């Protein structure tokens, strides 16, 4: 593979090449140092050789000076569902610069190289979890989505019926992946999962409960929803907390059954932690949605949930993405993109549906920056693709951006 370094602009920075078996040891050592407290260098080396939930050495890239490793990153081949449509997505992960090479532009240089690699292989979007938002905002990424973390005693939830339809999954790998797969066309943000990825998800959340539909198990045994989580002891002998890590339901009835089941566990657990989408309006269901252990924060106002922010997304290929998502006919959009110049310009969607999406000229003075356009896309407010839109029925009627996986 030829170098992916942008030509000319930063001659002092090393070029980027695909990693090989010979890089495994130094890569594993760099990542163990850059991400302390996660996996050891030995575990990382094994994962790279054998292939883990996100693949192995084949999606790793390095920048070296002589035999010395200066930096690295991974280009995960994700398929994210945006507005229900599958979108090939660059998962930019494990960006790391060796301590000797930091703060001279190499981190940004690696990200630019990754964007180019993603575009060249046909990715339409890029996604990542930032160590610091402004670093990636300069490269065109925007924060996507939001979760509200509620902590409450189980009895704060209504005792919705359907509790008896929730069951402990003996073999979650046999049924949950197929349910998840059927939900993808009604999701905005979920990524397709391999079976290895499912194994990793279930290993991290050892408790798995399925939710049957009202008529009982479907002929295939596929549930209508599921809850994943783990239990932990609360400090000072205050009982146990059930931390819900995933809660997906195909319909409102199964969603309520899941909540009713959590409510029914009040004599077993003292606390539930649940991350809800803003659109779920969970505060409206709780008897008193005040965060456990807090007092009023602003005279009579009380803390209710913690806002969690996670992924950032970036449009990589405007023309390809618009072709895939099919904005309203006649949409005209001016874009600025200093990192990926192919995105820059005036984009027009044909009025008669014949010529598709075309770049027709220079952007006007009020052009959207690519990061702002990416933010609008995640929020369901991209010009010509505003929600609600025909042909897309979001899960539970909630159009919020929802990405459960981290990478
Ligand atoms: C995060 C990390 C990759 C950044 O790498 P880096 O090579 O230092 O990044 P850059 O040099 O491109 O940018 C860092 C800063 O140095 C500045 N900088 C770049 N060249 C510079 C120069 N010649 N002189 C002074 N400052 C410079 C950049 O403008 C940037 O400024 P900011 O603090 O305002 O954002 C690196 O610190 C690292 O590996 N950390 C541990 C792992 C990690 O957190 N990875 C991120 C995963 S999302």
């Amino acid at each position: 593979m030829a170098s992916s370094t942008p030509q000319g602009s930063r001659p002092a920075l090393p070029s980027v090449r695909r990693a090989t078996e010979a890089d495994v040891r130094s890569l594993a050592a760099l990542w163990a140092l850059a991400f302390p407290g996660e996996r050891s260098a030995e575990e990382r080396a094994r994962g790279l050789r054998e292939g883990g939930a996100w693949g192995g050495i084949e999606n790793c890239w390095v920048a070296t000076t002589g035999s010395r490793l200066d930096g690295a990153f991974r280009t995960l081949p994700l398929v994210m569902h945006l507005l229900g449509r599958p979108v090939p997505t660059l998962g930019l992960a494990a960006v790391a610069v060796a301590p000797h090479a930091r703060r001279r532009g190499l981190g940004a240089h690696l990200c630019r190289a990754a964007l180019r690699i993603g575009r060249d292989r046909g990715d339409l979007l890029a996604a990542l979890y930032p160590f610091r938002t402004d670093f990636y905002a300069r490269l065109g990424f925007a924060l996507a989505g939001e979760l509200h973390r509620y902590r409450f005693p189980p009895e704060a939830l209504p005792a919705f019926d359907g509790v008896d339809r929730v069951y402990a999954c003996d073999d979650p790998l046999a049924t949950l992946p197929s349910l998840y797969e059927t939900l993808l066309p009604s999701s905005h943000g979920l990524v397709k999962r391999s079976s290895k990825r499912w194994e990793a998800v279930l290993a991290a959340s050892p408790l798995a409960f399925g939710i049957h539909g009202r008529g009982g198990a479907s002929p295939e045994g596929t549930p209508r929803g599921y809850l994943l989580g783990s239990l932990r002891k609360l400090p000072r002998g205050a009982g146990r907390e059930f931390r819900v890590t995933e809660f997906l339901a195909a319909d409102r009835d199964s969603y309520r059954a899941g909540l009713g089941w959590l409510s029914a566990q009040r004599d077993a657990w003292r606390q539930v932690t649940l991350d809800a989408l803003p659109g779920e309006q969970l505060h409206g269901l709780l008897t008193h949605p005040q965060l456990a252990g807090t007092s009023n924060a602003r005279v009579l106002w009380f803390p209710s949930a913690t806002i969690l922010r996670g992924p950032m997304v970036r449009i990589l290929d405007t023309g390809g993405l618009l072709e895939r998502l099919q904005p309203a006919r006649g949409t005209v959009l001016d874009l600025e993109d200093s990192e990926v110049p192919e995105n820059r310009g005036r984009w027009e969607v044909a009025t008669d549906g014949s010529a598709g999406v075309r770049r027709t000229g220079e952007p006007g003075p009020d052009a959207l920056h690519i990061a702002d356009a990416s933010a609008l896309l995640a929020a369901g407010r991209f010009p010509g693709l505003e929600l609600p839109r025909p042909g897309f029925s979001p899960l539970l009627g909630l159009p919020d951006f929802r990405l459960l996986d981290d990478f």
Side-chain angles (χ1 to χ4, degrees), residues 243-325:
R243 174 161 292 187
V244 183
T245 46
E246 289 193 15
F247 179 20
L248 275 188
D251 53 66
R252 199 148 274 279
D253 186 50
S254 305
Y255 174 74
R256 288 185 164 227
L259 293 180
W261 179 83
L262 287 172
S263 169
Q265 311 312 313
R266 63 186 69 178
D267 294 320
W269 309 330
R270 283 317 309 139
Q271 191 164 287
V272 173
T273 294
L274 181 59
D275 300 335
L277 294 174
E280 287 179 57
Q281 305 227 351
L282 195 69
H283 60 271
L285 291 179
L286 296 169
T287 45
H288 184 57
Q290 178 159 3
L291 267 179
T294 58
S295 52
N296 285 2
R298 182 189 158 101
V299 194
L300 299 176
W301 295 62
F302 54 86
S304 181
T306 306
I307 296 179
L308 309 186
R309 301 208 185 281
M312 297 181 87
V313 297
R314 186 204 206 281
I315 296 169
L316 261 192
D317 177 348
T318 304
L321 189 72
L322 296 185
E323 294 276 2
R324 179 67 56 100
L325 299 180

